[in-house]
Amino acid sequence: MKQIDSYVNAVYQNVGGNKKEIQELKEEMRIHLIETANELIKEGLPEEEAIKMAIQRFGDEKSISSGLTELFKYQKKFTTNLFRVAVVSVILAAISFFSIIQLEEGYQSSLKNMTQGILNVVNNEELISTTEIKIIEEHTAEFQEKYDTLSYLGVFYDDNQDADLHEPNEAQYIYPENATFSKDKINYGVGSNNWYVEAQLEDDYRDYFYLIPYSFLIISFVLLLVWLVSKIYNRKQYFNFEGK
């Protein structure tokens, strides 16, 4: 049916967009016109007249072409911007995630420096001197000033190689002073040469940082879903427009 092919090509002649998508739309439009023409032929109309009427039902090719061009432009702009925002959200999620990892590594490094510094001070003694306590206090204060997550810290000497966690009243140094604490709440500990540093570290705002990349990932997922739905909806809109 050359008339239908000519009509379809004329409609899409000046319509810009994805070539593969336009070709698919042209084919579906062609199939729709042929089906309409065949139905009219079954109703008793001659083939040429049936094709002409099927085309007339679609409308003037210039009006349809102009309308499709505007529709393509608007919807292409919308879906393109939607996709770009989704991609940016994924990139921001990755950046924030790696930034959080770096913050966590910095935190663990500072914690290790504090506890190792304390162990270095007391390493060759069995009792902590007043001078050593001042140095330990400096290490503790430096860490607290930066992170403020230390709710308890105890320094113990124990020559029992199988030593378990200690109670606060066994400590030679304790932070904060006169702290009472149950050893089952201790969540960090290191030891060297019979000296042990045990602590409880509280959760801080850093834990909430993980909400940032997850939020960006959720946003990107929703946007990509909307983008996909929009692409499907747009195809339906093209055919609704063509059938007017």
Side-chain angles (χ1 to χ4, degrees), residues 158-176:
D158 192 339
D159 57 6
N160 180 3
Q161 296 297 318
D162 298 322
D164 198 356
L165 295 175
H166 304 83
E167 293 291 353
N169 57 12
E170 302 175 40
Q172 291 197 36
Y173 170 81
I174 192 169
Y175 173 89

Side-chain angles (χ1 to χ4, degrees), residues 36-184:
T36 303
N38 287 334
E39 287 176 5
L40 292 171
I41 291 171
K42 287 180 181 179
E43 291 176 6
L45 288 177
E47 180 178 326
E48 187 174 344
E49 189 176 341
I51 292 172
K52 191 177 293 185
M53 186 173 290
I55 291 173
Q56 286 176 350
R57 287 183 180 181
F58 261 71
D60 178 62
E61 61 190 48
K62 290 184 179 180
S63 299
I64 294 175
S65 179
S66 176
L68 281 174
T69 299
E70 291 302 315
L71 195 61
F72 256 104
K73 284 182 180 179
Y74 171 77
Q75 293 179 338
K76 182 181 179 181
K77 184 177 180 181
F78 175 75
T79 54
T80 299
N81 289 338
L82 202 64
F83 185 76
R84 285 174 179 171
V85 174
V87 171
V88 169
S89 295
V90 172
I91 294 171
L92 289 174
I95 292 172
S96 58
F97 182 74
F98 286 114
S99 297
I100 290 169
I101 290 176
Q102 289 183 328
L103 285 173
E104 186 63 30
E105 287 177 350
Y107 176 79
Q108 293 298 328
S109 177
S110 295
L111 180 60
K112 182 179 179 180
N113 289 339
M114 176 189 69
T115 53
Q116 191 59 52
I118 293 172
L119 290 174
N120 290 340
V121 169
V122 300
N123 200 29
N124 298 317
E125 307 288 341
E126 292 187 9
L127 294 173
I128 302 176
S129 68
T130 303
T131 302
E132 289 169 341
I133 286 176
K134 288 183 179 180
I135 298 173
I136 292 171
E137 287 175 342
E138 290 174 2
H139 284 295
T140 306
E142 183 181 353
F143 180 82
Q144 280 295 82
E145 183 179 353
K146 191 172 183 179
Y147 295 104
D148 194 26
T149 59
L150 192 63
S151 61
Y152 164 81
L153 181 139
V155 182
F156 308 87
Y157 180 83
D158 192 339
D159 57 6
N160 180 3
Q161 296 297 318
D162 298 322
D164 198 356
L165 295 175
H166 304 83
E167 293 291 353
N169 57 12
E170 302 175 40
Q172 291 197 36
Y173 170 81
I174 192 169
Y175 173 89
E177 192 176 354
N178 300 322
T180 56
F181 205 81
S182 175
K183 65 181 182 180
D184 61 352

Side-chain angles (χ1 to χ4, degrees), residues 10-11 20 23 30 34 36 61 121-122 143 160 173 180-182 187-188 210 221 236 243-244:
V11 167
K20 182 179 178 182
Q23 189 58 43
R30 180 177 176 278
I34 290 173
T36 303
E61 61 190 48
V121 169
V122 300
F143 180 82
N160 180 3
Y173 170 81
T180 56
F181 205 81
S182 175
N187 55 16
Y188 183 84
Y210 285 100
F221 175 78
K236 293 182 179 180
K244 288 181 180 181

